[in-house]
Amino acid sequence: GGSIFQAPQPAHSEGAGMAPGPAPIVWFQDDAWGGVSTDHIKVWDFDVDWSNPAGASVATPVEIPLAAFDSFIAGTGGDAFANLAQPGTSQRIDALVHVMNFQTHRYDFGTHESIVYNFVVEPVNGLKISGLRWGELRRSGGGDWELFQEGTFVDPTGDESVFMGGIGMDQEGNIAMGYIKTGTSTRPSLFFTGRNDGDPLGMMTVAEQPIVEGT
């Protein structure tokens, strides 16, 4: 990734679906990066020993192939962090590339565990319009994590950018994702979409709705 920051993230787990055992740490890697041959996500198990911190351990990562993606969005005017358009100004917004967006969640449903995640991608290289690659990993019976579903969510109404996603799942397996939308005709505003458990895999089927419109 060169000089752009990179940030593996421990999966968060709480409430009725809190999952026991080591905490998974997740991060994606892009085949455009040096030393990376395929687009994939990695999962490390981080086993914390609170009684003996020196006894903590991180397992060899599981590498899970993903559909092809482009994780980099070029900057403008020599500023790598000026990526996404907004109305009425030439100043662009940082897309926050190369990181798992807040927050990766882990759930225990009894029959299986799930992790949901999202990160910024550029669906069409060079357009400086972002989408969100999201996905769900599953494992059962103490086996390895595997990809259950993934998709790329883009602005459904035009050529605007969506970024800074936040994704979560309820006890029924339904998924919601909030995000910021910005572009030449949309001031940075907060929206959400989602899907119901049992909907076609890899699709956000809930029509996007605004939460707070930017000014």
Side-chain angles (χ1 to χ4, degrees), residues 78-91:
D79 184 352
F81 302 104
N83 317 116
L84 308 179
Q86 55 181 326
T89 177
S90 61
Q91 177 62 51

Side-chain angles (χ1 to χ4, degrees), residues 119-209:
F119 57 88
V120 165
V121 295
E122 187 177 34
V124 180
N125 187 44
L127 291 186
K128 299 181 184 178
I129 296 173
S130 65
L132 287 170
R133 172 64 61 89
W134 64 274
E136 178 186 357
L137 307 179
R138 285 191 179 184
R139 73 174 174 185
S140 58
D144 286 338
W145 292 100
E146 298 178 341
L147 182 65
F148 178 70
Q149 62 173 324
E150 65 175 334
T152 299
F153 181 76
V154 297
D155 172 32
T157 60
D159 295 326
E160 309 288 68
S161 288
V162 295
F163 72 118
M164 285 188 69
I167 192 168
M169 180 182 283
D170 69 9
Q171 66 270 24
E172 303 296 332
N174 308 309
I175 294 175
M177 185 168 71
Y179 53 92
I180 301 294
K181 181 190 287 191
T182 188
T184 56
S185 60
T186 303
R187 295 185 178 92
S189 301
L190 183 62
F191 286 78
F192 76 90
T193 184
R195 55 173 282 108
N196 296 305
D197 184 46
D199 286 348
L201 294 178
M203 297 178 62
M204 289 293 178
T205 55
V206 175
E208 75 165 10
Q209 298 290 329

